[in-house]
Amino acid sequence: MGSTGADAGGGGARGSRPGPGRTARRIALAVVVLIVLVAVAVAAVRVLHPPVIGEEYAGAGPGTLGIDGSGDTTPTVGWVEPGRSFFVTTYGSSSCPHAPTGIDQRGTAVEVEMRRQGGPACTADFGPTSYALDLPRRSDPDAVLDVTIRLVDGATTVVRLGR
């Protein structure tokens, strides 16, 4: 008589254990699914919370803060190394500062995207935070650049960098 699927190791009988080849395929499939899920999760985190670019900078822009809350707290920019790098200063909570997450340069126009870091609870203080950024492309050290600072909340400031 011919052999049944269960006798031949085909796994034909209900309740029988799968053969070693089927188990290996299931494990391989589970590993592939896990890798895809991790890749999707990492991509989602980078979209929702992109990494900070640039370096924290000890200098601050020319903004002023009065003890009564008055003053000029408009985001500012200035050269760190003319033609190569500049700083951006924004004002806000010291525990949830705005930080640069993107930069684009087209000719003499530079756009910097800033996102709030930290949270969900932020201190109610108000102070400057500065970051030094490299220009995507070097420019003439005497060039005048228009830097657009975009905060994720929709606020936009255009500041002239240079003479």
Side-chain angles (χ1 to χ4, degrees):
M1 261 197 164
S3 65
T4 65
D7 295 337
R14 183 169 244 193
S16 67
R17 302 177 92 182
R22 266 181 101 181
T23 301
R25 283 192 299 272
R26 285 182 178 172
I27 290 172
L29 178 61
V31 168
V32 168
V33 168
L34 182 62
I35 289 170
V36 168
L37 289 174
V38 168
V40 168
V42 167
V45 166
R46 286 188 172 260
V47 167
L48 297 174
H49 302 286
V52 173
I53 61 172
E55 300 290 326
E56 284 193 52
Y57 185 67
T64 58
L65 291 174
I67 196 93
D68 61 353
S70 64
D72 179 10
T73 57
T74 305
T76 59
V77 298
W79 286 118
V80 173
E81 188 176 337
R84 298 183 75 162
S85 61
F86 64 102
F87 69 85
V88 175
T89 300
T90 58
Y91 292 83
S93 170
S94 64
S95 63
C96 298
H98 282 92
T101 57
I103 186 169
D104 186 34
Q105 180 179 2
R106 293 189 177 128
T108 60
V110 178
E111 186 170 309
V112 178
E113 181 176 302
M114 307 284 286
R115 289 184 181 257
R116 191 181 72 135
Q117 305 298 303
C122 303
T123 56
D125 61 347
F126 196 76
T129 302
S130 298
Y131 283 87
L133 300 167
D134 290 331
L135 286 170
R137 287 177 295 289
R138 289 184 184 177
S139 69
D140 180 341
D142 295 323
V144 175
L145 305 178
D146 289 317
V147 180
T148 300
I149 301 168
R150 288 195 195 287
L151 303 181
V152 164
D153 66 6
T156 300
T157 303
V158 179
V159 186
R160 186 144 281 186
L161 176 60
R163 300 177 201 266

